[in-house]
């Protein structure tokens, strides 16, 4: 009967499932979904770029409206938001698109200048506030209550580690160009060179022979603060004296970065710092660096503060790998923090 039914086509034979046809349809669906997902991701990334661009440009617009750049609720909020936005970590593609955006390019010089001026105003304000302390203990407490005090400690620790990775001996004489009215880096650095066990272990003589090098290693550390602004030097000198023993080892001269050596021979220093606010552009910074290292001794270290990622909206990025600089400097260490520390660190040895 089944055979008869088959002949008469009354029954239906069992159909074989076409596995290939079915999977092709599934694969097409998967590809379509992948394309949609990829498109959504691209849209989301573009939206992120546009949001970052709008945020940076809008904050710049609001900053221009302020009557002054001294610390106040309005500027504190705007700059706090700007730092938070620029400290976010993004991949290089997003960073490049933001920094190369025409609107961002148009405001960058002005934005960095505002950041530099507001930072100077903030430091001067706090230097005056700290100096109002009635006792040495109160001066110390006010100093350590500075909102970014911990950031300076972290940055200095990062820089000390970078310096120690490039030299066998901890520095004893350091010059800081662009120290400002509130020389927190110099103070933190001095404390590290005086008290940090790891640092001190690298200052001890390796033999029993008394040599000039050994005697230099046993000297108390000195940090020379250099700034072109008389008000900044005056405030930082008063602060150093008010801190008592903690300020011992701090020295000061008022001079331009390129003429500092006219007042003090930079060849006597193991390390020379160049602050992030010294020089506005790469060209400016390169000119200053060449002048500074021409007065430094061979083998001494130059520490330059730079930036990376969107943080370059706040401080200009420094490139030491130019043909001119590479003739005079040997780059040793470059560190880009991913935490709340904004500045990058570059350590190079004078050839």
């Amino acid at each position: 009967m089944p055979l008869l039914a088959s002949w008469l086509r009354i029954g239906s034979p069992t159909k074989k499932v076409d596995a290939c046809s079915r999977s092709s349809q599934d694969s097409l669906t998967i590809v379509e979904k992948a394309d949609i997902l990829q498109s959504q991701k691209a849209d989301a990334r573009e939206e992120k770029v546009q949001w970052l661009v709008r945020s940076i440009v809008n904050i710049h617009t609001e900053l221009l409206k302020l009557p002054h750049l001294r610390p106040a609720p309005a500027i504190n909020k705007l700059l706090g938001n700007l730092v938070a936005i620029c400290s976010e970590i993004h991949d290089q593609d997003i960073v490049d698109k933001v920094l190369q955006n025409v609107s961002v390019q148009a405001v960058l010089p002005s934005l960095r200048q505002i950041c530099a001026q507001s930072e100077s105003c903030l430091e001067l304000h706090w230097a005056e506030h700290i100096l109002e302390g009635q006792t040495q203990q109160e001066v110390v407490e006010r100093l350590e209550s500075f909102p970014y005090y911990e950031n300076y400690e972290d940055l200095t620790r990062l820089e000390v580690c970078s310096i120690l990775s490039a030299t066998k001996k901890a520095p004893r004489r350091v010059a800081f160009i662009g120290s400002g009215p509130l020389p927190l880096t110099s103070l933190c650095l001095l404390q590290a060179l005086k008290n940090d066990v790891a640092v001190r272990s690298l200052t001890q003589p390796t033999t029993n022979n008394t040599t000039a090098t050994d005697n230099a290693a046993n000297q108390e550390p000195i940090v020379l603060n250099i700034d072109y602004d008389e008000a900044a030097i005056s405030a930082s000198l008063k602060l150093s004296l008010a801190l008592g023993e903690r300020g011992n080892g701090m020295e000061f001269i008022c001079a331009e970065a390129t003429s500092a050596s006219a007042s003090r021979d930079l060849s006597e220093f193991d390390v020379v710092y160049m602050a992030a606010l010294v020089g506005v552009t790469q060209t400016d910074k390169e000119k200053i660096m060449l002048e500074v290292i021409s007065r430094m001794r061979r083998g001494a270290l130059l520490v330059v503060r730079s930036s990376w990622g969107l943080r370059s909206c706040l401080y200009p990025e420094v490139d030491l790998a130019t043909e001119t600089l590479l003739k005079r400097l040997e780059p040793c260490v470059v560190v880009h923090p991913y935490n709340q520390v904004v500045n990058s660190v570059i350590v190079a040895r004078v050839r």
Side-chain angles (χ1 to χ4, degrees):
M1 186 66 181
L3 182 58
L4 179 60
S6 177
W7 286 342
L8 297 174
R9 301 193 178 186
I10 297 173
S12 299
T14 304
K15 293 184 179 179
K16 293 183 179 180
V17 176
D18 189 346
C20 291
S21 175
R22 182 68 177 174
S23 63
S24 295
Q25 294 175 3
D26 288 343
S27 297
L28 184 59
T29 303
I30 292 172
V31 170
E32 290 174 342
K33 289 182 177 179
D35 288 342
I36 293 172
L37 183 60
Q38 190 67 28
S39 177
Q40 290 175 340
K41 286 183 177 180
D43 290 343
R45 290 172 63 82
E46 185 58 30
E47 287 178 8
K48 184 65 175 179
V49 169
Q50 293 306 316
W51 181 85
L52 289 167
V53 168
R54 285 196 306 272
S55 299
I56 293 169
V57 172
N58 289 344
I59 289 175
H60 174 260
T61 301
E62 293 303 312
L63 285 169
L64 290 176
K65 296 177 182 178
L66 297 176
H68 60 76
L69 297 177
R70 296 187 296 276
I75 189 171
N76 293 349
K77 182 178 180 180
L78 286 170
L79 290 178
N81 290 340
L82 180 64
V83 171
I85 290 169
C86 293
S87 296
E88 291 180 5
I89 306 301
H90 301 285
D91 62 53
Q92 195 60 46
D93 180 59
I94 287 181
V95 171
D96 289 343
K97 286 181 177 178
V98 172
L99 294 180
Q100 293 170 9
N101 181 275
V102 176
S103 298
V104 173
Q105 284 285 313
V107 304
L108 267 185
S110 173
L111 185 61
R112 287 172 180 159
Q113 188 64 33
I114 291 173
C115 289
Q117 292 175 352
S118 62
E119 186 172 320
S120 296
C121 289
L122 176 68
E123 288 190 7
L124 184 58
H125 169 83
W126 269 87
E128 293 171 348
H129 169 71
I130 293 166
L131 286 170
E132 290 174 356
Q134 299 300 306
T135 65
Q136 183 177 312
Q137 181 60 33
E138 187 179 355
V139 170
V140 172
E141 290 174 354
R142 290 188 177 211
L143 174 70
E144 294 180 350
S145 69
F146 179 66
Y148 304 108
Y149 184 81
E150 186 175 342
N151 284 41
Y152 275 91
E153 285 188 316
D154 292 341
L155 176 57
T156 303
R157 188 180 304 111
L158 191 68
E159 290 170 338
V160 168
C161 291
S162 300
I163 291 169
L164 295 181
S165 71
T167 181
K168 294 181 179 179
K169 290 187 177 181
R172 308 309 291 159
R173 305 180 73 81
V174 179
F176 195 104
I177 299 174
S179 54
L182 189 63
L184 280 172
T185 296
S186 297
L187 289 168
C188 291
L189 181 61
L190 201 57
Q191 289 298 106
L193 296 179
K194 285 180 180 179
N195 304 322
D196 190 279
V197 176
V199 175
R200 291 293 294 175
S201 67
L202 294 177
T203 67
Q204 302 305 316
T206 55
T207 67
N208 293 325
N209 296 326
T210 302
T211 65
T213 301
D214 295 336
N215 290 333
N218 288 324
Q219 292 177 356
E220 285 299 308
I222 290 174
V223 178
L224 173 65
N225 297 275
I226 303 169
D227 203 289
Y228 75 94
D229 189 334
E230 291 184 5
I233 288 296
S234 176
S236 55
L237 173 59
K238 291 177 183 177
L239 174 60
S240 176
L241 294 174
L243 288 170
E245 190 278 333
R246 191 166 179 171
N248 290 347
M250 295 276 279
E251 298 181 357
F252 303 86
I253 60 171
C254 182
E256 293 281 350
T258 53
S259 63
S261 52
S263 303
R264 190 72 173 265
D265 185 7
L266 293 180
S267 65
E268 68 181 271
F269 295 94
D270 307 308
V271 176
V272 175
Y273 268 76
M274 199 169 93
L277 300 182
V278 176
V280 178
T281 65
Q282 171 70 23
T283 301
D284 293 337
K285 288 179 177 291
E286 190 164 327
K287 180 180 178 182
I288 294 170
M289 280 188 280
L290 289 171
E291 175 63 29
V292 169
I293 60 181
S294 70
R295 311 298 178 88
M296 295 171 62
R297 71 169 184 266
R298 184 177 181 181
L301 298 179
L302 178 69
V303 178
V304 181
R305 285 183 175 170
S306 180
S307 63
W308 73 285
L310 294 182
R311 301 170 191 218
S312 60
C313 291
L314 309 173
Y315 302 98
E317 185 175 1
V318 183
D319 180 14
L320 256 61
T322 67
E323 183 178 357
T324 304
L325 288 176
L326 286 177
K327 290 179 181 178
R328 306 299 307 278
L329 291 172
E330 175 195 352
C332 301
V333 184
V334 179
V335 181
H336 296 307
Y338 278 65
N339 56 9
Q340 75 280 2
V341 175
V342 176
N343 289 116
S344 297
V345 181
I346 304 174
V347 179
R349 183 176 289 105
V350 178
R351 295 186 189 275

